[in-house]
Amino acid sequence: MNPHVDLIDIDEQGRLVHPRHASAVPPEDVPRVLEKHLRLREDTTDIFLYVHGWRTSSDAAHDAAQRLFALVDTTMAQQPRSYPRIRRFRPQYVSVRWPSHSLPTPRGYRTVRDRTAIMASTGQTARLIGSVLGYFNEHRQPPEPGPDVLASSYGQYLHCIGHSFGSRFLLHAILESTRRLSHGGPNTLAWPWASSLYPWTLDSLTLFQAALPADSFLHSPYAGMLKPNVLNAPIAMTFSPADRALGFWHRQAEERQDAIGFRGATGPTASLQTLPLLATDQHYKLLQSTKLLNIDASSHFRHGKRRPEGAHSDYFHPESAHLLLSLAQAAR
């Protein structure tokens, strides 16, 4: 399968790059460009937005998105009965591309780390990703809560997927939208947060090999993810000790701290649940009270011994697609 993926490009300042002119789009023109570039189909059931990670070219980012989403399509086609709450599946896929290249060294790691911090702290990247999500949020039919079984629920569900440093951008986008709400802003992330058609919800968040210190959720700003926010789901985070980028390189650049993608999040323990990355014929049992979900992928994310980053990008497995579809089902 070779699924269609809509591409969104941003520059080092976090500005939207025009899909045809390759120039930065002025903030006031962002809604018009997104409206023309992104078209939400009426038959869409699930919207997936993917943000790539470290050392990924534009072409490689597109290939990665297609590869991951092809696994989702294939897994659903092969075993639809594994996700009985997804009564029909018509996905729409989006990939956000950003300048992530650097040398595979501690200095290169710090370069991209600092770049993501600047892009996020200026608010441009968080607001831009938020505006893309906000476009879909304004145009979708929001899911309607059903009975406890939820088999009759319907609507268009919104899912986010981040890899490596892409995880930081998604977390900042969620925190930015939550700050807007806490200050009395409208209940949506539409650019520039001018619409209050209905409450904003994000229905799942999956972070593959997140390039964040393992104790991130114990400290600001990411501790804010444990407070009430626009994410209506746990934060699912894979980890594997075969990830050399987040083991060796991360420790060299982050004062000897382990990364979430290397050992999982370490706290707060009261909010944590740890599960293995399950085979496609097994079912996840998610605790309703869990906010942080560590997914031990060490049995699958293990290839890349000859690569400087190790298994950092070894997440293209049917089991990964099964996780995404399981979370999409749990949202219903």
Side-chain angles (χ1 to χ4, degrees), residues 161-178:
I161 306 160
H163 173 232
S164 185
F165 282 109
S167 303
R168 296 190 182 216
F169 290 146
L170 289 174
L171 291 174
H172 278 280
I174 294 169
L175 290 169
E176 176 72 12
S177 66
T178 301

Side-chain angles (χ1 to χ4, degrees), residues 32-321:
R32 179 181 58 81
V33 173
L34 290 180
E35 182 75 31
K36 190 173 182 179
H37 184 58
L38 298 176
R39 292 291 180 184
L40 178 59
R41 300 188 303 269
E42 290 186 4
D43 66 342
T44 293
T45 60
D46 294 80
I47 305 158
F48 292 85
L49 182 137
Y50 167 82
V51 186
H52 67 81
W54 186 34
R55 289 177 49 78
T56 307
S57 67
S58 293
D59 288 343
H62 186 198
D63 291 343
Q66 284 193 320
R67 186 178 176 188
L68 179 63
F69 293 140
L71 285 169
V72 172
D73 284 350
T74 301
T75 302
M76 173 57 82
Q78 291 177 343
Q79 52 185 57
R81 293 183 180 179
S82 296
Y83 319 102
R85 295 180 183 175
I86 306 178
R87 304 184 69 176
R88 61 187 183 93
F89 188 60
R90 299 289 187 274
Q92 191 159 341
Y93 300 127
V94 182
S95 176
V96 176
R97 304 189 295 188
W98 58 280
S100 67
H101 183 72
S102 75
L103 294 174
T105 63
R107 175 177 290 184
Y109 187 96
R110 286 191 293 268
T111 296
V112 175
R113 178 201 64 186
D114 295 343
R115 183 183 303 158
T116 59
I118 293 172
M119 293 171 70
S121 64
T122 62
Q124 292 299 312
T125 300
R127 292 183 182 185
L128 178 59
I129 293 177
S131 72
V132 174
L133 295 174
Y135 164 80
F136 286 117
N137 191 50
E138 278 199 42
H139 290 75
R140 67 174 174 162
Q141 171 68 38
E144 179 176 304
D148 292 340
V149 179
L150 292 179
S152 63
S153 64
Y154 66 92
Q156 294 168 310
Y157 294 82
L158 187 52
H159 314 286
C160 281
I161 306 160
H163 173 232
S164 185
F165 282 109
S167 303
R168 296 190 182 216
F169 290 146
L170 289 174
L171 291 174
H172 278 280
I174 294 169
L175 290 169
E176 176 72 12
S177 66
T178 301
R179 280 193 292 270
R180 290 274 173 160
L181 289 174
S182 67
H183 287 85
N187 295 335
T188 182
L189 250 185
W191 189 284
W193 294 275
S195 173
S196 56
L197 296 177
Y198 42 76
W200 164 270
T201 59
L202 179 59
D203 301 301
S204 77
L205 176 63
T206 306
L207 309 180
F208 288 116
Q209 303 308 105
L212 292 163
D215 64 351
S216 289
F217 296 104
L218 291 169
H219 310 288
S220 180
Y222 302 114
M225 293 298 302
L226 302 179
K227 300 176 182 178
N229 61 65
V230 299
L231 175 63
N232 189 32
I235 305 172
M237 303 164 287
T238 65
F239 69 93
S240 170
D243 186 335
R244 193 175 299 117
L246 298 185
F248 179 78
W249 300 122
H250 186 276
R251 287 180 62 83
Q252 297 297 312
E254 298 282 357
E255 299 180 353
R256 313 289 305 171
Q257 295 186 70
D258 288 330
I260 287 177
F262 180 74
R263 63 174 296 186
T266 55
T269 55
S271 301
L272 280 171
Q273 180 186 8
T274 299
L275 294 171
L277 184 68
L278 294 180
T280 57
D281 60 351
Q282 296 178 300
H283 300 286
Y284 284 94
K285 296 181 180 180
L286 306 177
L287 300 178
Q288 293 294 325
S289 59
T290 298
K291 194 69 175 178
L292 303 175
L293 187 60
N294 280 331
I295 302 295
D296 184 353
S298 56
S299 61
H300 294 84
F301 300 2
R302 54 184 178 171
H303 300 295
K305 291 183 179 180
R306 298 182 180 180
R307 299 176 63 87
E309 64 269 27
H312 186 56
S313 296
D314 185 29
Y315 59 97
F316 298 100
H317 297 274
E319 292 79 8
S320 298

